Amino acid sequence: MDVTNFSSQPHWRHCYRNICTDNFVERKHSFPSPFTTSFKTHSRTKKITMSSEVVFNLEYLTRLEESARTLESTPQQRSEMMFKAQREVDAYLEQLSLDHPTGWVIPPKETQGQDKLVQPGQYQVQSGPNQVQSGPDRVQSGPDWVQSAPDQAQSGPDRVQSGPDQVQSGPDQVQSGPDQVQSGPDQVQSGPDQVQSGRGPHETEPLPIQENGVSIDEVLRDFSRIGNEMEREGHPGHMAYVPGNSTAPAAIGDFLAASFNPYSLNVASCRRAVKMQQMIVQWVGRLFGYPSACAGNLTSGGTVATMVAMTTARDHKVPRSKDYSRSVLYLSELTHDGVAKCLSTLGMREAVVRKVPVDDKYRMDVNILRKFIENDVQNNLLPFLVVATTGTTDVGSVDPVPAIRAVATQYNMWLHVDACYGGFFVLCNSAKHLFEGVETADSIAVDPHKGLYAPFGTGLVLVRNGTLLRNSNTRQHGNYMQDQLTNPEDWNPEDLTFEQSAHFRAPRVLLPLQLYGVATFRDALQEKLELAKYLYLRLKGQAHIQVVEPVLSTVLFRIPGVSDNTNRALLREITTDGRFFITTTTVKGVLYLRVIIFCYRTHRQDVDVFINKVKDAVVKMELPEVEFCHAG
């Protein structure tokens, strides 16, 4: 054994070491450097001695060990950290429904009269005969109240109580003017056109990384400030974008995954972790009607899921890189922007992207798609991929998958379905027909961090022919893994994605499904569909309002016949007191106010308050009288 340059390290000191079984004899000595050390074994004494002098500081090694053992927490330390962390989480969640969805204001108490409440039977919008019961906790929804076990959160006409401590929202010194909202000493303002989240007195730099650690209390106190500096996607009034939600069992699943920390991408490392992931993938595959020969993986989100699918499509349809520049990808004008973004990552930046217009129901126009393809073929281009969407982010519309499948088959193209937002509505009987033909798609991307309320960073990719996915991603192990036992029949997740050393994502999806059951998620999603219809019917009956009939849980509305600035003024009026967070979108050149009802904490009483705000906002704008309502 050769050892060199030990003397160049300041923490080493000169000593002479004799090794005899477990005994160390340390003696100070000096010697030249560099040096070579060789070991000799004496068979009689069973001891190893050194033929020359060695440098080693056992005291230094002991100090390192003592410091390193700090990472080895005790059960008591873990309990204390978890208790204090849970206390911060509880404080955040208790305040969640009271604060503004963007986290910068506490709204005033709602002062709506009985005449503004929805009376039983009004508008003939019903969910069941008189009430809905869901899951083991028996969530009940009657005419004017909601009771939700186990904490029995109640919401009546004039108050909101949340959790066992009955947190109430009152007029907590919130000032709301026409152009700004001020919240306490921080005076965070929302201007006429946008919410400003620039630095204010409440914004601080995170606790710096230091040479020595600090207490868990200081760490948690610093981290908890994030609750005041974030969009609160789990807020019942957060109706913008596609809000993310997370349940308590999902958080526990992440804790367990990080604590056990298995390498979950290879059967040889942890078979059970692999089986948990495969069970989720196969279950989702069955939801969409895929055969058992499908394969897939949990990913960091919908864009990565799409990228894995597009990589498989590229390798199967365009195997030669010299053809990338003549390859054509077909999207609708409402397809998510992440799809085209994937081309650059895949090395296909030069590929042609065709954006197909949508019809009057905001679905991809298949006739125009066909014309685009025919023209491209005549010009010696290579149509290789078409993307259909089941739940566009702007509108919630669903492309006609069977018709698109027919075109893709005719021209030997790969069909990918983006079901990231709308996919898990397939659980709902009333929406199953919208997913007709998805079972014929070559690949699907869907987001559990949307429809299954998992934490952000949870996507899922499915490929109908699993062998194609495996061929595009099979890992060739390095020599350092040559002794690992492998079985060609094992479909390891690391062979089904480009990711390696990925987070063990399965528990964040599996634990909530196991604990609550699929029926609870089905009811929660069906409630959102019903609430979207409810909002549509209520707004449809209002003067000055044009509203687009929803397909899923997204509702678009506007004041017709006025400028875009007037509609933006309507948005400001609705959101100025901070109770709701919505945005605008532009579809086919027309600006709409966009509402998405997706948070599992959003219920009918929240939608009722929102409707009243829309009505009041329209009245304040003093628009001319009309004799009819506008509905779209």
Side-chain angles (χ1 to χ4, degrees):
M1 174 180 179
D2 291 337
V3 184
T4 58
N5 293 330
F6 275 58
S7 62
S8 64
Q9 306 299 322
H11 55 265
W12 296 91
R13 65 174 176 160
H14 300 166
C15 66
Y16 180 81
R17 182 177 69 172
N18 286 327
I19 305 177
C20 180
T21 60
D22 295 329
N23 298 322
F24 266 117
V25 178
E26 184 178 358
R27 299 175 184 175
K28 293 182 180 180
H29 203 81
S30 61
F31 56 86
S33 175
F35 63 91
T36 300
T37 300
S38 62
F39 294 98
K40 294 182 179 179
T41 303
H42 300 272
S43 59
R44 285 187 180 180
T45 59
K46 302 292 185 182
K47 74 176 182 178
I48 301 174
T49 61
M50 294 182 176
S51 61
S52 64
E53 301 160 352
V54 177
V55 192
F56 205 92
N57 187 337
L58 290 179
E59 292 179 359
Y60 174 71
L61 180 61
T62 300
R63 289 197 301 272
L64 292 177
E65 178 183 335
E66 290 174 352
S67 180
R69 284 185 178 276
T70 303
L71 303 175
E72 303 173 17
S73 57
T74 66
Q76 181 178 354
Q77 289 172 328
R78 291 193 293 273
S79 296
E80 180 182 357
M81 287 189 288
M82 288 299 297
F83 173 76
K84 292 181 177 180
Q86 184 60 47
R87 193 168 56 192
E88 298 294 335
V89 171
D90 289 342
Y92 168 73
L93 292 179
E94 286 176 1
Q95 192 69 18
L96 178 65
S97 61
L98 303 181
D99 289 354
H100 185 276
T102 55
W104 45 258
V105 67
I106 301 175
K109 183 178 179 181
E110 295 300 335
T111 56
Q112 55 184 17
Q114 287 291 336
D115 59 320
K116 290 189 176 183
L117 289 174
V118 180
Q119 300 303 321
Q122 191 175 3
Y123 301 106
Q124 298 180 348
V125 179
Q126 297 181 347
S127 177
N130 293 310
Q131 61 185 17
V132 176
Q133 295 184 344
S134 173
D137 295 331
R138 299 178 62 189
V139 180
Q140 295 183 335
S141 175
D144 297 317
W145 58 274
V146 173
Q147 190 176 66
S148 175
D151 293 333
Q152 295 185 343
Q154 296 183 343
S155 173
D158 297 318
R159 72 179 188 276
V160 175
Q161 296 181 340
S162 173
D165 297 330
Q166 296 184 344
V167 180
Q168 296 185 350
S169 83
D172 296 316
Q173 298 179 349
V174 178
Q175 297 177 352
S176 173
D179 294 323
Q180 66 180 21
V181 175
Q182 296 183 340
S183 174
D186 295 333
Q187 296 183 346
V188 182
Q189 296 183 349
S190 169
D193 294 319
Q194 61 183 1
V195 175
Q196 298 177 351
S197 58
R199 290 186 58 79
H202 73 296
E203 292 190 39
T204 59
E205 291 295 327
L207 187 70
I209 301 172
Q210 306 173 81
E211 187 66 23
N212 297 311
V214 297
S215 70
I216 184 64
D217 299 278
E218 185 174 352
V219 170
L220 291 174
R221 184 164 55 249
D222 176 75
F223 178 85
S224 297
R225 291 173 180 166
I226 199 172
N228 295 323
E229 302 175 23
M230 62 179 280
E231 284 183 14
R232 301 188 172 184
E233 306 245 356
H235 189 290
H238 195 298
M239 299 176 177
Y241 316 128
V242 182
N245 296 264
S246 181
T247 63
I252 294 171
D254 261 1
F255 167 71
L256 292 173
S259 298
F260 282 79
N261 198 35
Y263 180 73
S264 57
L265 302 184
N266 193 297
V267 168
S269 298
C270 186
R271 177 175 292 273
R272 190 169 187 84
V274 171
K275 294 300 182 185
M276 290 171 70
Q277 294 178 98
Q278 290 176 338
M279 183 169 64
I280 295 170
V281 168
Q282 290 295 320
W283 174 71
V284 175
R286 290 193 298 273
L287 289 179
F288 290 108
Y290 262 19
S292 59
C294 73
N297 218 329
L298 290 169
T299 69
S300 63
T303 301
V304 170
T306 299
M307 187 163 62
V308 172
M310 290 176 62
T311 302
T312 309
R314 179 201 64 188
D315 293 347
H316 185 57
K317 297 295 184 181
V318 194
R320 300 182 303 180
S321 59
K322 69 178 185 178
D323 293 325
Y324 289 176
S325 61
R326 50 188 287 264
S327 300
V328 189
L329 165 66
Y330 301 87
L331 318 168
S332 95
E333 59 181 302
L334 296 180
T335 301
H336 193 278
D337 58 86
V339 176
K341 178 182 178 181
C342 290
L343 286 176
S344 295
T345 308
L346 296 177
M348 299 185 72
R349 185 187 298 268
E350 297 178 352
V352 180
V353 178
R354 302 277 188 235
K355 291 193 174 181
V356 182
V358 295
D359 59 21
D360 57 355
K361 293 186 178 179
Y362 307 107
R363 305 174 303 179
M364 179 185 286
D365 191 316
V366 180
N367 291 326
I368 297 179
L369 169 66
R370 187 181 296 274
K371 291 178 181 178
F372 279 178
I373 296 173
E374 290 172 351
N375 185 66
D376 289 335
V377 171
Q378 290 174 4
N379 287 283
N380 197 33
L381 296 180
L382 181 61
F384 87 103
L385 173 62
V386 58
V387 178
T389 304
T390 53
T392 59
T393 46
D394 285 280
V395 186
S397 53
V398 175
D399 289 333
V401 178
I404 297 173
R405 171 76 270 177
V407 174
T409 300
Q410 180 181 352
Y411 291 96
N412 192 29
M413 298 168 62
W414 185 282
L415 171 60
H416 174 72
V417 170
D418 177 354
C420 290
Y421 155 45
F424 284 108
F425 283 111
V426 74
L427 289 168
C428 305
N429 292 330
S430 67
K432 284 187 183 297
H433 68 283
L434 299 173
F435 298 90
E436 180 184 353
V438 173
E439 72 280 0
T440 68
D442 295 294
S443 57
I444 304 170
V446 63
D447 278 347
H449 69 216
K450 293 185 174 73
L452 293 183
Y453 306 123
F456 277 130
T458 317
L460 192 148
V461 60
L462 284 166
V463 175
R464 196 172 194 277
N465 184 341
T467 301
L468 298 179
L469 177 64
R470 194 180 194 187
N471 291 343
S472 289
N473 293 278
T474 298
R475 179 182 181 185
Q476 303 298 325
H477 287 135
N479 293 338
Y480 69 97
M481 298 185 71
Q482 64 188 14
D483 295 329
Q484 186 180 66
L485 298 177
T486 59
N487 185 343
E489 297 181 359
D490 290 331
W491 285 61
N492 293 313
E494 67 182 7
D495 294 328
L496 304 172
T497 179
F498 64 87
E499 288 188 281
Q500 294 177 193
S501 302
H503 176 66
F504 182 29
R505 302 183 179 106
R508 58 166 64 175
V509 179
L510 193 57
L511 264 66
L513 285 170
Q514 291 174 327
L515 183 62
Y516 294 137
V518 176
T520 300
F521 289 91
R522 179 184 296 110
D523 289 345
L525 291 169
Q526 185 66 49
E527 181 196 22
K528 307 318 163 197
L529 295 175
E530 298 298 324
L531 287 174
K533 295 176 187 176
Y534 177 74
L535 175 61
Y536 165 73
L537 291 174
R538 292 288 308 277
L539 292 181
K540 184 179 178 180
Q542 302 302 317
H544 302 290
I545 294 295
Q546 174 190 359
V547 58
V548 177
E549 184 174 2
V551 178
L552 295 175
S553 65
T554 301
V555 180
L556 305 184
F557 68 96
R558 66 191 299 270
I559 302 173
V562 298
S563 68
D564 288 350
N565 286 336
T566 301
N567 277 292
R568 291 192 179 98
L570 175 63
L571 173 72
R572 289 196 299 271
E573 195 65 49
I574 293 170
T575 60
T576 190
D577 69 351
R579 177 64 180 82
F580 295 95
F581 179 38
I582 65 172
T583 58
T584 63
T585 190
T586 300
V587 182
K588 296 177 74 69
V590 180
L591 183 137
Y592 289 93
L593 280 68
R594 175 182 176 274
V595 176
I596 182 169
I597 303 175
F598 208 57
C599 174
Y600 64 80
R601 294 183 177 92
T602 303
H603 305 293
R604 201 192 75 184
Q605 68 269 23
D606 302 298
V607 177
D608 281 339
V609 174
F610 178 80
I611 292 167
N612 290 334
K613 289 190 178 298
V614 174
K615 293 166 61 177
D616 293 343
V618 171
V619 170
K620 288 182 180 180
M621 298 182 73
E622 298 182 347
L623 298 170
E625 292 293 332
V626 293
E627 297 180 357
F628 60 91
C629 69
H630 299 268

